[in-house]
mmCIF file of all heavy atoms in Angstrom:
data_model
loop_
_atom_site.group_PDB
_atom_site.id
_atom_site.type_symbol
_atom_site.label_atom_id
_atom_site.label_comp_id
_atom_site.label_asym_id
_atom_site.label_seq_id
_atom_site.Cartn_x
_atom_site.Cartn_y
_atom_site.Cartn_z
ATOM 1 N N LEU A 287 63.407 164.115 -2.378
ATOM 2 C CA LEU A 287 64.603 164.164 -1.544
ATOM 3 C C LEU A 287 65.429 162.945 -1.925
ATOM 4 O O LEU A 287 64.967 161.807 -1.793
ATOM 5 C CB LEU A 287 64.243 164.123 -0.056
ATOM 6 C CG LEU A 287 65.411 164.052 0.921
ATOM 7 C CD1 LEU A 287 66.316 165.261 0.777
ATOM 8 C CD2 LEU A 287 64.890 163.930 2.341
ATOM 9 N N ILE A 288 66.632 163.163 -2.439
ATOM 10 C CA ILE A 288 67.499 162.080 -2.890
ATOM 11 C C ILE A 288 68.598 161.923 -1.848
ATOM 12 O O ILE A 288 69.435 162.812 -1.680
ATOM 13 C CB ILE A 288 68.071 162.383 -4.288
ATOM 14 C CG1 ILE A 288 66.914 162.722 -5.259
ATOM 15 C CG2 ILE A 288 68.874 161.197 -4.806
ATOM 16 C CD1 ILE A 288 67.363 163.303 -6.565
ATOM 17 N N GLY A 289 68.569 160.818 -1.134
ATOM 18 C CA GLY A 289 69.431 160.601 0.020
ATOM 19 C C GLY A 289 70.874 160.294 -0.331
ATOM 20 O O GLY A 289 71.253 160.163 -1.505
ATOM 21 N N PRO A 290 71.713 160.152 0.688
ATOM 22 C CA PRO A 290 73.141 159.894 0.494
ATOM 23 C C PRO A 290 73.392 158.660 -0.375
ATOM 24 O O PRO A 290 72.756 157.623 -0.198
ATOM 25 C CB PRO A 290 73.662 159.671 1.919
ATOM 26 C CG PRO A 290 72.690 160.405 2.787
ATOM 27 C CD PRO A 290 71.357 160.263 2.110
ATOM 28 N N ALA A 291 74.295 158.814 -1.337
ATOM 29 C CA ALA A 291 74.736 157.757 -2.244
ATOM 30 C C ALA A 291 73.624 157.240 -3.160
ATOM 31 O O ALA A 291 73.809 156.247 -3.847
ATOM 32 C CB ALA A 291 75.367 156.603 -1.476
ATOM 33 N N ALA A 292 72.476 157.904 -3.192
ATOM 34 C CA ALA A 292 71.349 157.467 -4.029
ATOM 35 C C ALA A 292 71.398 158.142 -5.397
ATOM 36 O O ALA A 292 71.970 159.218 -5.556
ATOM 37 C CB ALA A 292 70.031 157.798 -3.344
ATOM 38 N N THR A 293 70.807 157.466 -6.372
ATOM 39 C CA THR A 293 70.660 158.026 -7.711
ATOM 40 C C THR A 293 69.199 157.929 -8.107
ATOM 41 O O THR A 293 68.590 156.860 -7.985
ATOM 42 C CB THR A 293 71.513 157.251 -8.735
ATOM 43 O OG1 THR A 293 72.889 157.361 -8.370
ATOM 44 C CG2 THR A 293 71.317 157.809 -10.137
ATOM 45 N N LEU A 294 68.640 159.030 -8.572
ATOM 46 C CA LEU A 294 67.262 159.052 -9.056
ATOM 47 C C LEU A 294 67.279 159.347 -10.549
ATOM 48 O O LEU A 294 67.935 160.287 -10.995
ATOM 49 C CB LEU A 294 66.443 160.137 -8.340
ATOM 50 C CG LEU A 294 65.004 160.343 -8.849
ATOM 51 C CD1 LEU A 294 64.151 159.102 -8.605
ATOM 52 C CD2 LEU A 294 64.387 161.568 -8.187
ATOM 53 N N ALA A 295 66.580 158.523 -11.323
ATOM 54 C CA ALA A 295 66.401 158.765 -12.760
ATOM 55 C C ALA A 295 64.919 159.012 -12.999
ATOM 56 O O ALA A 295 64.093 158.134 -12.733
ATOM 57 C CB ALA A 295 66.888 157.579 -13.571
ATOM 58 N N VAL A 296 64.595 160.208 -13.464
ATOM 59 C CA VAL A 296 63.215 160.573 -13.785
ATOM 60 C C VAL A 296 63.135 160.641 -15.302
ATOM 61 O O VAL A 296 63.639 161.578 -15.922
ATOM 62 C CB VAL A 296 62.828 161.924 -13.146
ATOM 63 C CG1 VAL A 296 61.390 162.286 -13.494
ATOM 64 C CG2 VAL A 296 63.021 161.877 -11.641
ATOM 65 N N VAL A 297 62.540 159.607 -15.902
ATOM 66 C CA VAL A 297 62.518 159.474 -17.358
ATOM 67 C C VAL A 297 61.081 159.127 -17.788
ATOM 68 O O VAL A 297 60.785 157.992 -18.156
ATOM 69 C CB VAL A 297 63.518 158.398 -17.833
ATOM 70 C CG1 VAL A 297 63.622 158.391 -19.353
ATOM 71 C CG2 VAL A 297 64.892 158.621 -17.213
ATOM 72 N N PRO A 298 60.173 160.107 -17.729
ATOM 73 C CA PRO A 298 58.791 159.833 -18.129
ATOM 74 C C PRO A 298 58.640 159.800 -19.647
ATOM 75 O O PRO A 298 59.568 160.169 -20.382
ATOM 76 C CB PRO A 298 58.030 161.032 -17.544
ATOM 77 C CG PRO A 298 59.036 162.143 -17.622
ATOM 78 C CD PRO A 298 60.375 161.491 -17.325
ATOM 79 N N ASP A 299 57.483 159.359 -20.100
ATOM 80 C CA ASP A 299 57.138 159.539 -21.505
ATOM 81 C C ASP A 299 56.976 161.032 -21.749
ATOM 82 O O ASP A 299 56.755 161.801 -20.804
ATOM 83 C CB ASP A 299 55.832 158.814 -21.833
ATOM 84 C CG ASP A 299 55.998 157.304 -21.869
ATOM 85 O OD1 ASP A 299 57.137 156.838 -22.005
ATOM 86 O OD2 ASP A 299 54.987 156.595 -21.764
ATOM 87 N N PRO A 300 57.053 161.479 -22.995
ATOM 88 C CA PRO A 300 56.960 162.921 -23.238
ATOM 89 C C PRO A 300 55.565 163.472 -22.947
ATOM 90 O O PRO A 300 54.551 162.789 -23.109
ATOM 91 C CB PRO A 300 57.308 163.057 -24.721
ATOM 92 C CG PRO A 300 57.036 161.729 -25.309
ATOM 93 C CD PRO A 300 57.280 160.723 -24.230
ATOM 94 N N LEU A 301 55.549 164.700 -22.506
ATOM 95 C CA LEU A 301 54.326 165.454 -22.261
ATOM 96 C C LEU A 301 53.692 165.818 -23.598
ATOM 97 O O LEU A 301 54.393 166.214 -24.532
ATOM 98 C CB LEU A 301 54.696 166.722 -21.485
ATOM 99 C CG LEU A 301 53.681 167.840 -21.366
ATOM 100 C CD1 LEU A 301 52.551 167.413 -20.442
ATOM 101 C CD2 LEU A 301 54.358 169.092 -20.829
ATOM 102 N N THR A 302 52.365 165.685 -23.695
ATOM 103 C CA THR A 302 51.646 166.110 -24.892
ATOM 104 C C THR A 302 50.541 167.061 -24.478
ATOM 105 O O THR A 302 49.652 166.687 -23.702
ATOM 106 C CB THR A 302 51.050 164.907 -25.650
ATOM 107 O OG1 THR A 302 52.117 164.055 -26.060
ATOM 108 C CG2 THR A 302 50.272 165.362 -26.878
ATOM 109 N N CYS A 303 50.616 168.290 -24.953
ATOM 110 C CA CYS A 303 49.599 169.294 -24.657
ATOM 111 C C CYS A 303 48.737 169.501 -25.893
ATOM 112 O O CYS A 303 49.242 169.810 -26.974
ATOM 113 C CB CYS A 303 50.253 170.617 -24.248
ATOM 114 S SG CYS A 303 51.122 170.508 -22.673
ATOM 115 N N TYR A 304 47.424 169.336 -25.726
ATOM 116 C CA TYR A 304 46.493 169.503 -26.835
ATOM 117 C C TYR A 304 46.307 170.994 -27.141
ATOM 118 O O TYR A 304 46.678 171.860 -26.339
ATOM 119 C CB TYR A 304 45.147 168.878 -26.497
ATOM 120 C CG TYR A 304 45.175 167.372 -26.321
ATOM 121 C CD1 TYR A 304 46.346 166.625 -26.426
ATOM 122 C CD2 TYR A 304 44.017 166.684 -26.031
ATOM 123 C CE1 TYR A 304 46.357 165.256 -26.272
ATOM 124 C CE2 TYR A 304 44.014 165.307 -25.877
ATOM 125 C CZ TYR A 304 45.183 164.597 -25.991
ATOM 126 O OH TYR A 304 45.182 163.230 -25.840
ATOM 127 N N ALA A 305 45.726 171.287 -28.274
ATOM 128 C CA ALA A 305 45.456 172.681 -28.661
ATOM 129 C C ALA A 305 44.660 173.360 -27.550
ATOM 130 O O ALA A 305 43.698 172.808 -27.028
ATOM 131 C CB ALA A 305 44.688 172.729 -29.974
ATOM 132 N N GLY A 306 45.106 174.557 -27.177
ATOM 133 C CA GLY A 306 44.414 175.330 -26.149
ATOM 134 C C GLY A 306 44.778 174.975 -24.721
ATOM 135 O O GLY A 306 44.273 175.582 -23.782
ATOM 136 N N ALA A 307 45.668 174.021 -24.508
ATOM 137 C CA ALA A 307 46.053 173.609 -23.157
ATOM 138 C C ALA A 307 46.916 174.675 -22.491
ATOM 139 O O ALA A 307 47.699 175.369 -23.143
ATOM 140 C CB ALA A 307 46.808 172.288 -23.204
ATOM 141 N N VAL A 308 46.779 174.786 -21.172
ATOM 142 C CA VAL A 308 47.624 175.660 -20.356
ATOM 143 C C VAL A 308 48.217 174.775 -19.267
ATOM 144 O O VAL A 308 47.487 174.190 -18.457
ATOM 145 C CB VAL A 308 46.820 176.817 -19.727
ATOM 146 C CG1 VAL A 308 47.737 177.702 -18.887
ATOM 147 C CG2 VAL A 308 46.106 177.629 -20.792
ATOM 148 N N TYR A 309 49.543 174.667 -19.239
ATOM 149 C CA TYR A 309 50.204 173.710 -18.346
ATOM 150 C C TYR A 309 51.376 174.372 -17.643
ATOM 151 O O TYR A 309 52.176 175.086 -18.261
ATOM 152 C CB TYR A 309 50.697 172.506 -19.159
ATOM 153 C CG TYR A 309 51.375 171.434 -18.352
ATOM 154 C CD1 TYR A 309 50.656 170.605 -17.501
ATOM 155 C CD2 TYR A 309 52.754 171.241 -18.448
ATOM 156 C CE1 TYR A 309 51.282 169.605 -16.770
ATOM 157 C CE2 TYR A 309 53.386 170.239 -17.727
ATOM 158 C CZ TYR A 309 52.645 169.429 -16.884
ATOM 159 O OH TYR A 309 53.270 168.438 -16.167
ATOM 160 N N ASP A 310 51.494 174.098 -16.343
ATOM 161 C CA ASP A 310 52.573 174.640 -15.525
ATOM 162 C C ASP A 310 53.150 173.500 -14.687
ATOM 163 O O ASP A 310 52.414 172.840 -13.950
ATOM 164 C CB ASP A 310 52.043 175.749 -14.623
ATOM 165 C CG ASP A 310 53.110 176.306 -13.711
ATOM 166 O OD1 ASP A 310 54.078 176.893 -14.219
ATOM 167 O OD2 ASP A 310 52.984 176.135 -12.479
ATOM 168 N N GLN A 311 54.437 173.262 -14.821
ATOM 169 C CA GLN A 311 55.088 172.159 -14.108
ATOM 170 C C GLN A 311 56.300 172.676 -13.349
ATOM 171 O O GLN A 311 57.099 173.445 -13.885
ATOM 172 C CB GLN A 311 55.524 171.099 -15.110
ATOM 173 C CG GLN A 311 56.357 169.977 -14.517
ATOM 174 C CD GLN A 311 56.822 169.020 -15.589
ATOM 175 O OE1 GLN A 311 56.011 168.326 -16.184
ATOM 176 N NE2 GLN A 311 58.126 169.001 -15.854
ATOM 177 N N VAL A 312 56.430 172.232 -12.097
ATOM 178 C CA VAL A 312 57.614 172.538 -11.302
ATOM 179 C C VAL A 312 58.123 171.231 -10.705
ATOM 180 O O VAL A 312 57.380 170.527 -10.015
ATOM 181 C CB VAL A 312 57.325 173.553 -10.179
ATOM 182 C CG1 VAL A 312 58.577 173.796 -9.347
ATOM 183 C CG2 VAL A 312 56.793 174.858 -10.745
ATOM 184 N N ASN A 313 59.378 170.897 -10.992
ATOM 185 C CA ASN A 313 60.041 169.738 -10.404
ATOM 186 C C ASN A 313 61.138 170.237 -9.478
ATOM 187 O O ASN A 313 62.015 170.993 -9.908
ATOM 188 C CB ASN A 313 60.655 168.843 -11.480
ATOM 189 C CG ASN A 313 59.601 168.168 -12.338
ATOM 190 O OD1 ASN A 313 58.452 168.024 -11.940
ATOM 191 N ND2 ASN A 313 59.995 167.755 -13.523
ATOM 192 N N ARG A 314 61.065 169.824 -8.210
ATOM 193 C CA ARG A 314 62.074 170.222 -7.222
ATOM 194 C C ARG A 314 62.806 168.979 -6.736
ATOM 195 O O ARG A 314 62.181 168.021 -6.275
ATOM 196 C CB ARG A 314 61.416 170.931 -6.048
ATOM 197 C CG ARG A 314 60.856 172.287 -6.400
ATOM 198 C CD ARG A 314 60.346 173.042 -5.173
ATOM 199 N NE ARG A 314 59.894 174.355 -5.552
ATOM 200 C CZ ARG A 314 58.627 174.670 -5.793
ATOM 201 N NH1 ARG A 314 57.680 173.757 -5.663
ATOM 202 N NH2 ARG A 314 58.303 175.899 -6.133
ATOM 203 N N TYR A 315 64.125 169.038 -6.839
ATOM 204 C CA TYR A 315 64.968 167.925 -6.407
ATOM 205 C C TYR A 315 65.940 168.432 -5.355
ATOM 206 O O TYR A 315 66.667 169.393 -5.600
ATOM 207 C CB TYR A 315 65.760 167.349 -7.587
ATOM 208 C CG TYR A 315 64.897 166.886 -8.730
ATOM 209 C CD1 TYR A 315 64.727 167.689 -9.856
ATOM 210 C CD2 TYR A 315 64.263 165.648 -8.696
ATOM 211 C CE1 TYR A 315 63.940 167.261 -10.915
ATOM 212 C CE2 TYR A 315 63.480 165.217 -9.753
ATOM 213 C CZ TYR A 315 63.324 166.028 -10.856
ATOM 214 O OH TYR A 315 62.556 165.612 -11.906
ATOM 215 N N ARG A 316 65.958 167.770 -4.212
ATOM 216 C CA ARG A 316 66.922 168.106 -3.164
ATOM 217 C C ARG A 316 67.866 166.924 -3.022
ATOM 218 O O ARG A 316 67.438 165.828 -2.654
ATOM 219 C CB ARG A 316 66.197 168.391 -1.856
ATOM 220 C CG ARG A 316 67.132 168.847 -0.778
ATOM 221 C CD ARG A 316 66.382 169.271 0.451
ATOM 222 N NE ARG A 316 67.319 169.558 1.506
ATOM 223 C CZ ARG A 316 66.986 169.714 2.768
ATOM 224 N NH1 ARG A 316 65.723 169.630 3.116
ATOM 225 N NH2 ARG A 316 67.897 169.972 3.659
ATOM 226 N N LEU A 317 69.131 167.144 -3.346
ATOM 227 C CA LEU A 317 70.119 166.076 -3.358
ATOM 228 C C LEU A 317 71.029 166.160 -2.146
ATOM 229 O O LEU A 317 71.468 167.251 -1.769
ATOM 230 C CB LEU A 317 71.015 166.169 -4.604
ATOM 231 C CG LEU A 317 70.480 165.645 -5.932
ATOM 232 C CD1 LEU A 317 69.364 166.513 -6.463
ATOM 233 C CD2 LEU A 317 71.600 165.565 -6.945
ATOM 234 N N ALA A 318 71.322 165.005 -1.558
ATOM 235 C CA ALA A 318 72.396 164.932 -0.574
ATOM 236 C C ALA A 318 73.703 165.229 -1.311
ATOM 237 O O ALA A 318 73.765 165.171 -2.540
ATOM 238 C CB ALA A 318 72.438 163.539 0.058
ATOM 239 N N GLU A 319 74.744 165.550 -0.576
ATOM 240 C CA GLU A 319 76.013 165.952 -1.192
ATOM 241 C C GLU A 319 76.538 164.935 -2.199
ATOM 242 O O GLU A 319 77.115 165.304 -3.212
ATOM 243 C CB GLU A 319 77.073 166.207 -0.116
ATOM 244 C CG GLU A 319 76.880 167.492 0.658
ATOM 245 C CD GLU A 319 77.080 168.747 -0.183
ATOM 246 O OE1 GLU A 319 77.820 168.693 -1.184
ATOM 247 O OE2 GLU A 319 76.482 169.778 0.155
ATOM 248 N N ASP A 320 76.343 163.630 -1.931
ATOM 249 C CA ASP A 320 76.876 162.607 -2.834
ATOM 250 C C ASP A 320 75.778 161.888 -3.625
ATOM 251 O O ASP A 320 75.989 160.802 -4.146
ATOM 252 C CB ASP A 320 77.729 161.596 -2.062
ATOM 253 C CG ASP A 320 76.940 160.866 -0.986
ATOM 254 O OD1 ASP A 320 75.812 161.300 -0.653
ATOM 255 O OD2 ASP A 320 77.444 159.852 -0.469
ATOM 256 N N ALA A 321 74.612 162.505 -3.747
ATOM 257 C CA ALA A 321 73.521 161.925 -4.528
ATOM 258 C C ALA A 321 73.641 162.345 -5.988
ATOM 259 O O ALA A 321 74.424 163.240 -6.331
ATOM 260 C CB ALA A 321 72.177 162.378 -3.955
ATOM 261 N N ALA A 322 72.858 161.689 -6.852
ATOM 262 C CA ALA A 322 72.904 161.997 -8.282
ATOM 263 C C ALA A 322 71.489 161.986 -8.857
ATOM 264 O O ALA A 322 70.597 161.301 -8.348
ATOM 265 C CB ALA A 322 73.780 160.993 -9.019
ATOM 266 N N LEU A 323 71.327 162.736 -9.947
ATOM 267 C CA LEU A 323 70.018 162.871 -10.591
ATOM 268 C C LEU A 323 70.173 162.852 -12.105
ATOM 269 O O LEU A 323 71.058 163.506 -12.657
ATOM 270 C CB LEU A 323 69.366 164.209 -10.179
ATOM 271 C CG LEU A 323 68.121 164.631 -10.963
ATOM 272 C CD1 LEU A 323 66.931 163.734 -10.652
ATOM 273 C CD2 LEU A 323 67.781 166.093 -10.657
ATOM 274 N N VAL A 324 69.295 162.102 -12.759
ATOM 275 C CA VAL A 324 69.115 162.174 -14.203
ATOM 276 C C VAL A 324 67.662 162.587 -14.410
ATOM 277 O O VAL A 324 66.740 161.854 -14.048
ATOM 278 C CB VAL A 324 69.373 160.822 -14.903
ATOM 279 C CG1 VAL A 324 69.097 160.939 -16.393
ATOM 280 C CG2 VAL A 324 70.781 160.342 -14.632
ATOM 281 N N SER A 325 67.460 163.772 -14.953
ATOM 282 C CA SER A 325 66.112 164.289 -15.187
ATOM 283 C C SER A 325 65.910 164.495 -16.683
ATOM 284 O O SER A 325 66.656 165.239 -17.316
ATOM 285 C CB SER A 325 65.935 165.627 -14.449
ATOM 286 O OG SER A 325 64.761 166.287 -14.888
ATOM 287 N N VAL A 326 64.897 163.825 -17.242
ATOM 288 C CA VAL A 326 64.540 163.991 -18.644
ATOM 289 C C VAL A 326 63.157 164.625 -18.672
ATOM 290 O O VAL A 326 62.182 164.046 -18.202
ATOM 291 C CB VAL A 326 64.524 162.641 -19.396
ATOM 292 C CG1 VAL A 326 64.087 162.850 -20.841
ATOM 293 C CG2 VAL A 326 65.886 161.975 -19.325
ATOM 294 N N ASP A 327 63.092 165.827 -19.190
ATOM 295 C CA ASP A 327 61.830 166.562 -19.282
ATOM 296 C C ASP A 327 61.612 166.860 -20.755
ATOM 297 O O ASP A 327 62.377 167.623 -21.351
ATOM 298 C CB ASP A 327 61.950 167.860 -18.475
ATOM 299 C CG ASP A 327 60.635 168.323 -17.902
ATOM 300 O OD1 ASP A 327 59.618 167.667 -18.142
ATOM 301 O OD2 ASP A 327 60.647 169.348 -17.211
ATOM 302 N N TRP A 328 60.594 166.249 -21.376
ATOM 303 C CA TRP A 328 60.415 166.441 -22.803
ATOM 304 C C TRP A 328 58.951 166.547 -23.152
ATOM 305 O O TRP A 328 58.081 166.089 -22.433
ATOM 306 C CB TRP A 328 61.141 165.378 -23.582
ATOM 307 C CG TRP A 328 60.873 163.919 -23.299
ATOM 308 C CD1 TRP A 328 60.550 163.345 -22.108
ATOM 309 C CD2 TRP A 328 60.943 162.859 -24.250
ATOM 310 N NE1 TRP A 328 60.429 161.983 -22.266
ATOM 311 C CE2 TRP A 328 60.663 161.654 -23.562
ATOM 312 C CE3 TRP A 328 61.235 162.793 -25.596
ATOM 313 C CZ2 TRP A 328 60.649 160.414 -24.177
ATOM 314 C CZ3 TRP A 328 61.223 161.547 -26.217
ATOM 315 C CH2 TRP A 328 60.932 160.388 -25.511
ATOM 316 N N LEU A 329 58.697 167.218 -24.267
ATOM 317 C CA LEU A 329 57.322 167.401 -24.707
ATOM 318 C C LEU A 329 57.233 167.330 -26.224
ATOM 319 O O LEU A 329 58.203 167.628 -26.927
ATOM 320 C CB LEU A 329 56.736 168.721 -24.208
ATOM 321 C CG LEU A 329 57.271 170.024 -24.778
ATOM 322 C CD1 LEU A 329 56.160 171.060 -24.790
ATOM 323 C CD2 LEU A 329 58.424 170.535 -23.956
ATOM 324 N N THR A 330 56.058 166.928 -26.680
ATOM 325 C CA THR A 330 55.791 166.858 -28.113
ATOM 326 C C THR A 330 55.095 168.134 -28.549
ATOM 327 O O THR A 330 54.654 168.937 -27.728
ATOM 328 C CB THR A 330 54.884 165.663 -28.466
ATOM 329 O OG1 THR A 330 53.550 165.933 -27.998
ATOM 330 C CG2 THR A 330 55.408 164.370 -27.852
#
């Protein structure tokens, strides 16, 4: 939950899935009207 006038930056290291891996990811962001988000989702 990103509150009024707030900015959230989600910048993790990249995801690495090994051979045979099964992975499921859900990111939910709820922003106030004047909030901001930078989301970096990356994988190797």
